[in-house]
Amino acid sequence: MFDTLALASLPPEDEALRPAIRELVARAVADMPVDRRARSWQGFDAAFSRRLGQAGFLGLNLPKRYGGQERGPFARFVVVEELLSAGAPVAGHWIADRQSAPLICNYGTEAQRAFYIPRICKGEALFCIGMSEPGSGSDLASVRTRAEKTATGWLLNGQKIWTTNSLHSDYMIALLRTSGKPEDRHAGLSQLIVDLRLPGVTIRPIVDLTGDAHFAEVFFENVELADDALIGREGEGWKQVTAELAFERSGPERIYSSVVLLDAWVRHLRETGRADDATLAMVGGFTARLATLRAMSIACTARLALGESPVVEASLVKDLGTHFEQELPVAIGDDLAGHPDEPASTELYRTLLYVTQVAPSFSLRGGTREILRGIIARGLGLR
């Protein structure tokens, strides 16, 4: 499997994007406390998303005829890396730009492409993804929420849960059962676009232990969808979703969730002047692992650039990446506790507390560790 993860470099023309996006991000986070920047994935700022769209940093991989930039996956890697490493608020456009627009571009009708993608590229159409359900979790193939075919379109009933940012979104791309039974597993699943303002849609926030509410439950009661809500072919939703998840799992977003905390801790070490061998070894170890994970993520991006779908490799990057992200707050917390006489800022402590509280979710979102390791095992021929 590792033969398919060959070292690759970011092309110079894509690296050339870095100064402009770095400047835009620096202005956005200039007055933002570190613990807010640590919320990057959950940081909602619609105005910032629109500024990114106006500057041409959304829809980087999408065709120009739909408002995109028609560049390769490496361009998006550079932009995402700059956004997350600085802790920019990306929640507004995140899912629409990363998953919804590519999905619509690949499987949607020409009318769907023309209607949705230009607005996504401008940061003006916000999407969430409806996959998980009560009782299903990461076992997506067991979803029960149904869309029944009617004379004019589809009738939707059921419930989704853990839908990130649905409270702020305009649309959901939902994985639904359109034929057969849950026991049929992968057969009979389809993806449909749901306008979240339609009658019969109810969204209830889920407040997490940090006090934030970026997750929600979404209920559908006799929601009438038009015939053209279907993306792709009826019954082929599973194939479409697995390709979508491969794109989600392979990127730099699976490495940088805790990096704002790492930066804050390194600044603390500089300010206190602590540079003993044990501390330097700890900083060096984290840096080396981050560099290795970044190289693996770039290798996956290179395969995406070739038009391939590196499902197994992407699962490996996500599993190792989230392990790194979860280990950081534990190690930094232990380090600060081991130096009780060392002055540390309240901002650093707030950031540590937030990342520690949310870290368990890192190995849940986008596929649990158990699911990913099952994919890796099959890729290695072990099951």
Side-chain angles (χ1 to χ4, degrees):
M1 180 172 65
F2 292 104
D3 292 342
T4 59
L5 275 179
L7 283 174
S9 300
L10 296 171
E13 62 270 23
D14 296 318
E15 278 285 7
L17 291 169
R18 205 177 290 277
I21 181 64
R22 185 171 291 180
E23 182 182 349
L24 197 157
V25 170
R27 288 201 301 271
V29 304
D31 299 320
M32 197 178 289
V34 178
D35 56 306
R36 275 194 59 203
R37 290 200 283 123
R39 285 167 162 79
S40 186
W41 275 62
Q42 286 79 41
F44 180 84
D45 186 339
F48 176 67
S49 294
R50 287 195 295 273
R51 287 200 296 276
L52 286 175
Q54 291 164 1
F57 290 122
L58 299 183
L60 285 161
N61 306 147
L62 299 169
K64 288 184 178 178
R65 65 182 180 278
Y66 303 125
Q69 300 297 316
E70 213 162 296
R71 304 182 65 130
F74 288 118
R76 188 176 178 281
F77 187 101
V78 170
V79 170
V80 169
E81 185 169 52
E82 289 297 324
L83 289 169
L84 297 185
S85 61
V90 301
H93 64 273
W94 192 240
I95 290 172
D97 180 59
R98 181 176 69 168
Q99 289 169 254
S100 306
L103 180 79
I104 293 170
C105 192
N106 288 333
Y107 298 103
T109 64
E110 187 57 33
Q112 288 171 335
R113 295 181 190 125
F115 180 75
Y116 293 107
I117 297 178
R119 297 163 64 207
I120 291 174
C121 292
K122 293 178 183 175
E124 296 174 351
L126 311 184
F127 278 70
C128 63
I129 295 174
M131 290 190 185
S132 296
E133 295 183 7
S136 292
S138 286
D139 184 15
L140 292 178
S142 66
V143 301
R144 296 175 179 272
T145 298
R146 297 191 71 94
E148 302 282 355
K149 194 75 183 75
T150 67
T152 57
W154 304 88
L155 188 65
L156 173 56
N157 280 286
Q159 179 189 355
K160 293 292 179 180
I161 196 168
W162 308 121
T163 48
T164 304
N165 212 32
S166 52
L167 286 165
H168 300 296
S169 295
D170 303 303
Y171 304 98
M172 170 191 288
I173 293 183
L175 181 68
L176 304 167
R177 189 157 295 284
T178 49
S179 59
K181 303 175 183 176
E183 293 75 19
D184 296 333
R185 305 293 292 171
H186 302 165
L189 295 172
S190 303
Q191 288 182 294
L192 282 85
I193 302 175
V194 182
D195 185 334
L196 295 175
R197 293 161 297 191
L198 286 172
V201 177
T202 302
I203 304 175
R204 295 177 184 167
I206 300 173
V207 179
D208 65 24
L209 77 170
T210 71
D212 293 342
H214 55 275
F215 289 127
E217 295 176 286
V218 184
F219 300 87
F220 307 110
E221 185 176 0
N222 293 324
V223 179
E224 296 182 11
L225 304 178
D227 194 49
D228 62 2
L230 177 68
I231 304 177
R233 295 182 179 179
E234 193 277 326
E236 295 196 357
W238 182 257
K239 183 180 73 174
Q240 295 172 193
V241 162
T242 51
E244 183 182 350
L245 287 174
F247 189 74
E248 177 191 352
R249 290 167 179 164
S250 62
E253 48 266 57
R254 299 306 178 184
I255 299 170
Y256 291 112
S257 297
S258 304
V259 78
V260 169
L261 172 63
L262 178 60
D263 284 345
W265 176 64
V266 171
R267 278 197 299 276
H268 163 78
L269 296 176
R270 289 199 186 101
E271 289 166 1
T272 57
R274 176 151 58 96
D276 57 87
D277 288 348
T279 301
L280 293 178
M282 191 171 164
V283 174
F286 285 139
T287 304
R289 287 174 62 188
L290 181 59
T292 303
L293 288 165
R294 182 175 185 267
M296 294 173 69
S297 184
I298 292 174
C300 277
T301 304
R303 295 200 58 196
L304 290 172
L306 292 172
E308 300 173 1
S309 183
V311 174
V312 178
E313 295 84 348
S315 299
L316 182 64
V317 171
K318 182 181 184 296
D319 186 33
L320 295 174
T322 52
H323 183 74
F324 171 73
E325 291 176 325
Q326 289 177 329
E327 191 177 317
L328 271 173
V330 176
I332 291 173
D334 287 347
D335 176 77
L336 293 176
H339 299 81
D341 298 327
E342 199 171 69
S345 70
T346 55
E347 198 172 17
L348 173 58
Y349 276 122
R350 286 201 309 270
T351 306
L352 173 62
L353 181 61
Y354 172 75
V355 177
T356 300
Q357 288 176 323
V358 300
S361 70
F362 296 166
S363 54
L364 298 176
R365 60 192 186 191
T368 64
R369 179 165 287 137
E370 291 74 14
I371 293 291
L372 296 175
R373 291 183 178 177
I375 294 171
I376 295 166
R378 280 193 295 274
L380 291 171
L382 300 176
R383 55 181 296 197

